[in-house]
Amino acid sequence: MHTLGMRTPLLTLAVLSLLLVQCQAAAPSSTGVPTNAVPGPTTAQPSVAAPSGSLAPSAAGGGDVAPSPVRADDVTVPPGKPSKKYTMGLVVGAVGDPFYVSMEKAAKAEAEKLGIDLIVEGPQEYRPVLQTPIVDAMIARKVDFLLVVPTDAEAMIAPLQRAHDAGIPVITLDTFIGKGNYGGSGPEGFVTSYVGSDNFEGGMVACEALIKDMGDKGKLLIENTIPGDSSNDGRENGCKAAIQKHPGVELAGVNYDDNDPNKAQALVSAFLQRMPDLGGIFGTNVFAAEGAGKAVKNAALTGKVKVVAFDATAVAIEDLRNNVNDIVIAQKPWQMAQLGLNFAVNYLEGNRDLPRNVATGFGIITRDTVDNPETKDLIY
Ligand code: T6T
């Protein structure tokens, strides 16, 4: 039996400070085995309680919230041992996004190791209307199992339900549908498991760090992507929860940039003109952070307006080295893929005792840790 981990108590600022100077070094696994041996954060994942109504999986109780996440480190599911050649589908959020490139690379390596035929596809843009036909095509191909990054918490319920109704079990990676209450009585209850970041926690950690960087005062802008997907909504909610804990900090606004770095740059540039005393920006993903960084550089405000970037891309790391960003939060797309595939094999082989909600954790990269050897493995 696996044990679903209980959330640890609220993070204290002291713990957070410690986290910020330590890079959570977690190298991509050469084994990818989803047991206690699965590489995970070397420092404890900070854990925070989600407010009720948050899209984040919550331990708050009630019938319509997701089970508390179990940490990837604590997962005790055995390695996948397929008794036959399975064909599986992985539908990513958007092709070309470095986060999903990393996920795809790890998934293909893991599939080869497990002896699985893996088909990887994704939409050109992070949009449910483009992703739905890809899911339908996977159903038509009769894959044995479907791993998906749903690009919208509501709009992707029906397509994934179609897969389930066609006898194809579903795991979601990186994002969840509905409230993420897999196994529950809600419309998303049919999904086997979620494997991905605890994004509420991620947003909270990111904004606690940003607020510290801002000297615990001032105006903070959340540069977000497209409302409606669980990951970025979770980060926004987590950031807002962090702001609420600091009376000297004010939410200046939330921008939605359509997951487009150029739009993000334009929106942030306009914001900087309107609000010359802006203190900090939280870029909630690859493109939001990239655009925010460019806008800050162009306005010659490097170092004055603090930026925290979610997603550890080469661009985010360059911005960190150039003092444009002060902190980069790395996710673990490779681990999402490895665990997801091993869960899928277990499921197909009859081991259905799988955790419903697995948090893969974060690495926190600062200028002090960026050159540590382990940090290389966190960049995608
Ligand atoms: O931040 C990731 C991912 O977690 C999110 O779901 C969508 O945006 C990214 O792919 C980065 O672009």
Side-chain angles (χ1 to χ4, degrees), residues 1-340:
M1 283 289 272
H2 66 261
T3 318
L4 288 186
M6 293 300 292
R7 280 175 181 272
T8 49
L10 275 179
L11 249 197
T12 62
L13 269 180
V15 173
L16 183 66
S17 310
L18 192 68
L19 276 166
L20 294 179
V21 293
Q22 288 181 315
C23 176
Q24 297 180 9
S29 164
S30 57
T31 63
V33 175
T35 64
N36 282 339
V38 169
T42 51
T43 50
Q45 279 190 72
S47 194
V48 291
S52 63
S54 164
L55 270 178
S58 167
D64 65 345
V65 291
S68 298
V70 59
R71 288 176 34 151
D73 277 0
D74 298 333
V75 168
T76 54
V77 175
K81 285 211 177 75
S83 57
K84 60 182 247 209
K85 188 102 178 158
Y86 293 116
T87 301
M88 298 194 188
L90 168 62
V91 181
V92 297
V95 293
D97 175 333
F99 175 91
Y100 297 115
V101 172
S102 166
M103 180 182 280
E104 175 173 351
K105 199 171 148 211
K108 284 183 169 161
E110 193 68 13
E112 198 179 326
K113 216 171 64 194
L114 290 168
I116 293 167
D117 276 337
L118 182 71
I119 308 160
V120 184
E121 280 172 15
Q124 291 299 321
E125 288 175 34
Y126 193 91
R127 293 193 191 286
V129 68
L130 301 178
Q131 192 179 44
T132 296
I134 297 170
V135 168
D136 284 332
M138 290 285 187
I139 298 170
R141 287 170 97 152
K142 297 189 174 24
V143 292
D144 294 305
F145 206 104
L146 193 55
L147 299 124
V148 188
V149 177
T151 49
D152 188 280
E154 293 307 316
M156 291 310 294
I157 293 176
L160 297 188
Q161 178 76 57
R162 284 199 286 281
H164 175 78
D165 293 348
I168 302 171
V170 176
I171 281 179
T172 74
L173 307 178
D174 174 43
T175 56
F176 53 80
I177 52 170
K179 291 187 166 70
N181 184 15
Y182 297 169
S185 57
E188 72 274 36
F190 65 90
V191 181
T192 301
S193 301
Y194 166 74
V195 184
S197 299
D198 181 334
N199 285 294
F200 179 86
E201 172 186 274
M204 188 140 186
V205 168
C207 284
E208 284 287 5
L210 178 57
I211 289 166
K212 189 162 180 260
D213 213 16
M214 291 163 62
D216 211 6
K217 61 179 187 322
K219 295 175 181 165
L220 189 160
L221 170 68
I222 301 176
E223 183 58 40
N224 201 343
T225 59
I226 307 170
D229 89 291
S230 70
S231 58
N232 287 288
D233 283 355
R235 291 168 207 163
E236 178 183 323
N237 289 337
C239 181
K240 285 176 174 167
I243 292 170
Q244 272 171 17
K245 294 199 286 166
H246 296 269
V249 180
E250 186 190 321
L251 178 64
V254 183
N255 285 337
Y256 295 100
D257 56 40
D258 262 345
N259 215 31
D260 175 345
N262 298 324
K263 270 194 199 165
Q265 183 183 348
L267 286 167
V268 174
S269 296
F271 212 94
L272 288 169
Q273 289 201 338
R274 275 205 311 279
M275 197 173 280
D277 60 339
L278 187 71
I281 307 172
F282 170 39
T284 67
N285 85 340
V286 168
F287 306 115
E290 186 181 320
K294 280 196 179 134
V296 166
K297 266 184 282 185
N298 286 351
L301 288 169
T302 298
K304 291 200 186 84
V305 176
K306 309 291 184 186
V307 181
V308 167
F310 217 89
D311 285 319
T313 60
V315 171
I317 296 299
E318 195 190 324
D319 281 347
L320 179 71
R321 290 189 189 283
N322 294 332
N323 302 312
V324 177
N325 293 332
D326 288 333
I327 290 140
V328 175
I329 312 279
Q331 301 190 78
K332 298 181 182 168
W334 50 271
Q335 194 178 41
M336 297 173 197
Q338 289 170 349
L339 285 170

